[in-house]
Amino acid sequence: MCGQAGGSCQNAPMSPQTPAAAPTGTGSYAPYRSDTLVVEHDGPVTVLTINRPERRNAVDSVCADQLREAFVAFDCDETRSVAVLTGAEGTFCAGADLKAVAEGDRRPIPDHGPGPMGPTRLTLSKPVIAAVEGYAVAGGIELALWCDLRVAAEDAVFGVFCRRFGVPLCDLGTVRLPRIVGHGRAMDLILTGRAVAAPEAHSMGLVNRVVPPGEALTTAVALAHQLAALPQVCLRSDRMSALEQWGLTEEEAALGEARRGRDVISSGETLAGAARFAGGAGRGGAAID
């Protein structure tokens, strides 16, 4: 699988450093910059940085297209195992660029196809980690929720700030937030739009790791390398089984888990791991080189 929900390797020729070939905004919108995304590679880890600091890394239609295509390209690249999403200059993402909207930027909200923030309707075959400094609000929290794991600085702030401006959650925020933190907590955030500091976000399960200010990216990249060092067939299979079980009955989910488990064993990865364990590796939970 390569970028489900509207993406494929063949449909991702664009370099993330260039304007989208077919932007979703209207022709009346003139973006103030086209280099909205920085993509870097660190061995098996890809780091994608939203690069619109003048607007708190708020996402316009050009940036949304580039984000989506960059993640499709990551998913199709067999040499990359984990991606890290972050924002430039101390802010993760302030959501949709409302200044761009006022300037004529329009993004459709289709029943099928890309979400307004770009990659949020993609189901990738590999994990993505959010490295959050500063604000992850409105559409920014939806981008963070799309990621598998979230590493946040102690002074990071999450929130549905778009509540104050009549801007709806259209990138699965109303779906993923209840699933991650529970319905009651999600309704608190969705209805009030209040700011949630990283320690509280951690206590409710919204954040997986809290680190000192300025260390979110370093920690997220280190975590990404830890994941990349694990047996990938099994890791990706178990991850996908956990994603697929939403909406299934327990019996259906069990069948899906069993099918995926058989595929992992057939790949030979399980037998190789068993041989390493029999040889003394990883005993007592020790790390495996």
Side-chain angles (χ1 to χ4, degrees), residues 10 40 48 58 67 69 73 119 134 147 152 180 189-190 246 268 276 289:
Q10 290 75 21
E40 301 171 293
L48 297 93
L67 275 168
E69 295 192 19
C147 298
I180 291 172
L189 273 61
I190 291 169
W246 290 107
R276 294 182 70 188
D289 296 329

Side-chain angles (χ1 to χ4, degrees), residues 214-226:
E215 295 186 13
L217 180 58
T218 300
T219 303
V221 170
L223 177 58
H225 278 286
Q226 291 177 24

Side-chain angles (χ1 to χ4, degrees), residues 1 23 25 28 70 84 104 116 128 137 143 170 180 182 190 204 214 217 231-232:
M1 179 175 57
S28 62
V84 175
V128 181
V137 297
L143 281 176
C170 297
I180 291 172
I190 291 169
M204 67 173 63
L217 180 58
Q232 290 298 295

Side-chain angles (χ1 to χ4, degrees), residues 7-265:
S8 70
C9 294
Q10 290 75 21
N11 292 334
M14 186 197 75
S15 166
Q17 298 287 356
T18 61
T24 53
T26 65
S28 62
Y29 173 60
Y32 80 97
R33 66 184 301 169
S34 60
D35 56 335
T36 69
L37 192 64
V38 176
V39 180
E40 301 171 293
H41 301 295
D42 180 7
V45 175
T46 295
V47 179
L48 297 93
T49 304
I50 302 172
N51 188 34
R52 304 180 87 240
E54 302 89 347
R55 297 195 177 179
R56 297 285 186 95
N57 297 320
V59 172
D60 68 349
S61 59
V62 173
C63 185
D65 288 338
Q66 292 182 4
L67 275 168
R68 181 178 177 276
E69 295 192 19
F71 274 111
V72 170
F74 154 74
D75 206 39
C76 295
D77 189 340
E78 295 182 359
T79 67
R80 315 300 174 190
S81 298
V82 185
V84 175
L85 176 62
T86 193
E89 299 186 20
T91 297
F92 181 74
C93 175
D97 187 346
L98 298 186
K99 288 185 178 179
V101 172
E103 294 164 359
D105 192 17
R106 297 291 182 269
R107 275 170 277 174
I109 307 173
D111 288 343
H112 306 284
M117 293 293 291
T120 50
R121 294 185 182 180
L122 292 175
T123 300
L124 303 185
S125 65
K126 309 170 188 177
V128 181
I129 302 171
V132 181
E133 298 279 352
Y135 287 91
V137 297
I141 195 174
E142 292 186 287
L143 281 176
L145 291 167
W146 173 72
C147 298
D148 296 276
L149 300 172
R150 287 154 291 281
V151 176
E154 292 172 350
D155 56 356
V157 175
F158 297 81
V160 185
F161 283 15
C162 49
R163 176 62 53 239
R164 299 171 294 168
F165 301 104
V167 179
L169 294 170
C170 297
D171 287 88
L172 279 79
T174 63
V175 177
R176 293 190 176 111
L177 189 59
R179 291 180 176 184
I180 291 172
V181 305
H183 187 79
R185 288 178 171 139
M187 291 301 283
D188 177 12
L189 273 61
I190 291 169
L191 295 180
T192 67
R194 69 181 179 88
V196 178
E200 182 184 1
H202 183 258
S203 72
M204 67 173 63
L206 174 56
V207 166
N208 302 96
R209 309 278 194 281
V210 177
V211 298
E215 295 186 13
L217 180 58
T218 300
T219 303
V221 170
L223 177 58
H225 278 286
Q226 291 177 24
L227 298 186
L230 296 170
Q232 290 298 295
V233 175
C234 186
L235 180 147
R236 295 175 192 178
S237 178
D238 284 352
R239 170 185 174 274
M240 193 57 63
S241 181
L243 292 174
E244 289 173 340
Q245 60 85 27
W246 290 107
L248 299 178
T249 66
E250 186 172 346
E251 181 180 1
E252 291 168 337
L255 290 173
E257 182 184 70
R259 173 179 56 81
R260 287 191 168 278
R262 289 192 296 270
D263 290 344
V264 173
I265 293 171

